[in-house]
Amino acid sequence: MVSLSDYLILSSIIFCIGLAGIFINRTNIITLLMCVELILVAVNTNFIAFSHFLGNEAGQIVVFFILTVAAAEVAIGLAILTLLFRVRGSINVDVTNSLKG
Amino acid sequence: MNSEQTIFYILSFWFIASSLAMIFARNAAKAVLFLVLGFFSAAGIWILLEAEFLAITLILVYVGAVMVLFLFVIKMLNIDKSTLRAKFAGYLPLGLIVALIIIAEMTLVLGGAQFGLEVMPSPAKHGADYSNITVLAMQLYTTYVYPFELAAVVLLIAIIAAITLVHKKEATYKKQNISEQVNVRAKDRVRLVSIASPPKEKK
């Protein structure tokens, strides 16, 4: 049988891979968005594992709402990215320093 | 090792391997495809946890819609690959060290002593007549009906925001010009005209 700790350790590994991806791909906004998706899937796996082992469906409901908000986030993020590319001609993080003091 | 463990380890291996391949991929389109593989493995793991509806939703919504949207944007924006990886080497050691430290800490906290099978026994599997969708729907339309409607509003706002952001022709929608409104004078708006009034009729 697969224990709860196996699922939790798997999702923590995926979470850390997503975190390392944000460190590594600092100049590529699209890959940053994908790393955020990876982190969200790791968190969702946590919720579902606890929901299964505790016999409570509320965890799955939370995952449903996380999926909704993540889809909205990706839609707006990619729209901002398209706008950024149109204005600056590049989606490099280095050129988006207008707010720097 | 029974079949459930075998399936779990195979899916976990592909999930971790494709995630690693995603963050090290040089090409953004390849990274999206590796992430799709990772999402499929995650959906398999969710089915092992008897969350069938969410597993199917992950594939339909994420792989079917969100990842295709990513691919569209990557193909639409002609990204210069050479500049994107310029700082790769500088942050690689720091990222790996932070990730390894977090994994070690989480393994200590979440290990078998705290969440193993002795502490948290695996629940009995549901029978063939159990419907995950029915259970979720009962919860969603009774206890969580207000959050459900809020989620619909969030999606609507996302649609409006995305369309407003990328809409090109500004002339097609009306907006205020604040300085023009503040600077307006009475003579711009009101024009006094003297009109000869008709003679009063006798009653």
Side-chain angles (χ1 to χ4, degrees), chain B residues 167-186:
Chain B
H167 207 267
K168 252 184 183 173
K169 284 174 257 168
E170 291 192 5
T172 53
Y173 60 91
K174 297 178 178 175
K175 61 178 184 182
Q176 290 178 301
N177 189 342
I178 304 294
S179 64
E180 225 171 62
Q181 288 184 342
V182 171
N183 285 325
V184 79
R185 292 289 171 267

Side-chain angles (χ1 to χ4, degrees), chain B residues 121-195:
Chain B
S122 187
K125 297 286 179 199
H126 292 289
D129 56 339
Y130 172 78
S131 170
N132 178 244
I133 296 177
T134 311
V135 173
L136 275 190
M138 284 303 291
Q139 291 273 324
L140 205 57
Y141 289 118
T142 55
T143 317
Y144 299 96
V145 64
Y146 288 131
F148 183 66
E149 290 176 359
L150 274 181
V153 174
V154 166
L155 282 179
L156 179 69
I157 291 173
I159 294 170
I160 296 172
I163 292 174
T164 314
L165 278 172
V166 297
H167 207 267
K168 252 184 183 173
K169 284 174 257 168
E170 291 192 5
T172 53
Y173 60 91
K174 297 178 178 175
K175 61 178 184 182
Q176 290 178 301
N177 189 342
I178 304 294
S179 64
E180 225 171 62
Q181 288 184 342
V182 171
N183 285 325
V184 79
R185 292 289 171 267
K187 63 180 171 55
D188 301 331
R189 294 287 165 87
V190 183
R191 193 162 54 95
L192 295 178
V193 183
S194 58
I195 301 173

Side-chain angles (χ1 to χ4, degrees), chain B residues 30-140:
Chain B
K30 278 183 189 167
V32 172
L33 295 179
F34 280 125
L35 193 58
V36 167
L37 177 59
F39 278 165
F40 266 92
S41 316
I45 287 169
W46 292 6
I47 284 180
L48 272 187
L49 288 166
E50 296 186 333
E52 291 93 3
F53 172 70
L54 289 169
I56 300 296
T57 308
L58 185 77
I59 290 179
L60 288 185
V61 174
Y62 262 66
V63 178
V66 174
M67 288 298 119
V68 173
L69 189 66
F70 267 107
L71 277 180
F72 265 122
V73 171
I74 288 170
K75 291 299 171 194
M76 226 161 52
L77 314 179
N78 186 18
I79 305 167
D80 185 12
K81 285 174 199 153
S82 58
T83 58
L84 287 181
R85 307 301 298 225
K87 293 188 176 174
F88 178 86
Y91 292 105
L92 181 60
L94 180 64
L96 285 186
I97 287 171
V98 170
L100 287 179
I101 288 175
I102 294 178
I103 288 176
E105 286 178 352
M106 296 291 250
T107 310
L108 285 177
V109 174
L110 304 171
Q114 283 82 20
F115 291 103
L117 278 177
E118 296 80 20
V119 188
M120 201 82 108
S122 187
K125 297 286 179 199
H126 292 289
D129 56 339
Y130 172 78
S131 170
N132 178 244
I133 296 177
T134 311
V135 173
L136 275 190
M138 284 303 291
Q139 291 273 324
L140 205 57

